[in-house]
Amino acid sequence: MPDEMNDGATTVLVVEDDFDLRDALVPILEYEGHRVVSAANGKEALERLQTMPPPSLILLDLMMPVMSGEEFRAEQLRDPTLASIPVVVVSAHASAEERAARLGAAGCVKKPFEIEDLLEQVRRSSRSPVAAAPTRRRRRARRPCRGGSAPRHVARARRSGLVA
């Protein structure tokens, strides 16, 4: 990965099989000042983690093809270089909170979710102090935007039905 990954920005790995939601979350998180890497399943996420600096946070869906979120988490915890990366479960599963707690996740956001709830969980759970401190960019994101890409992606995410 390029050296620019170490410029102080937090990196979030989004592991989500729903293309529309994954595609919408990337620019929303980028708009909030995060670098974002995405994967469509747990196997792809593990492959990405082997070729990049450790992210500050992993947003993890539970129900995915190829390798589920629970299988991914088990593999993550077996690897000492990955085990300390905090995970926030993002799932529509009826028992998502219980499953997240059983997996030792830092948090859980149930689908459909409000964008601000997800962003707050990202700020709280990221292991980087940069993510915990509000920035000018985050304050600006809460005001009505003129021409920014995040509002368009929020609208698209809401249309997917997975974001309230």
Side-chain angles (χ1 to χ4, degrees):
M1 281 275 146
D3 288 337
E4 65 201 34
M5 292 294 285
N6 298 322
D7 66 359
T10 60
T11 301
V12 177
L13 173 60
V14 176
V15 188
E16 170 62 59
D17 64 317
D18 183 285
F19 174 80
D20 291 333
L21 180 57
R22 188 175 68 244
D23 193 46
L25 285 177
V26 170
I28 291 167
L29 291 165
E30 287 174 342
Y31 191 78
E32 288 293 307
H34 304 284
R35 293 193 183 288
V36 184
V37 177
S38 64
N41 58 63
K43 182 176 184 282
E44 188 178 316
L46 287 172
E47 291 167 0
R48 295 229 193 288
L49 286 167
Q50 298 305 317
T51 62
M52 63 183 274
S56 302
L57 179 68
I58 299 170
L59 295 178
L60 181 66
D61 187 14
L62 293 178
M63 299 179 288
M64 296 179 290
V66 184
M67 180 185 276
S68 73
E70 289 167 309
E71 293 167 324
F72 165 84
R73 181 68 170 153
E75 290 296 319
Q76 178 202 5
L77 292 173
R78 279 190 202 100
D79 185 332
T81 62
L82 305 176
S84 66
I85 303 169
V87 169
V88 171
V89 168
V90 181
S91 179
H93 196 280
S95 60
E97 290 97 346
E98 294 83 18
R99 291 170 84 177
R102 193 172 59 244
L103 294 171
C108 180
V109 177
K110 285 196 72 172
K111 298 174 188 171
F113 54 84
E114 294 288 337
I115 295 293
E116 270 307 313
D117 294 341
L118 177 73
L119 295 176
E120 180 57 34
Q121 187 65 251
V122 167
R123 286 188 282 271
R124 269 198 319 260
S125 301
S126 176
R127 67 180 177 181
S128 170
V130 173
T135 66
R136 191 177 81 209
R137 176 172 252 172
R138 282 191 193 95
R139 284 192 301 267
R140 188 176 67 222
R142 289 191 187 108
R143 285 186 265 161
C145 299
R146 293 180 211 120
S149 64
R152 178 179 39 131
H153 293 289
V154 169
R156 191 170 79 215
R158 286 189 176 125
R159 282 194 303 275
S160 76
L162 298 174
V163 176

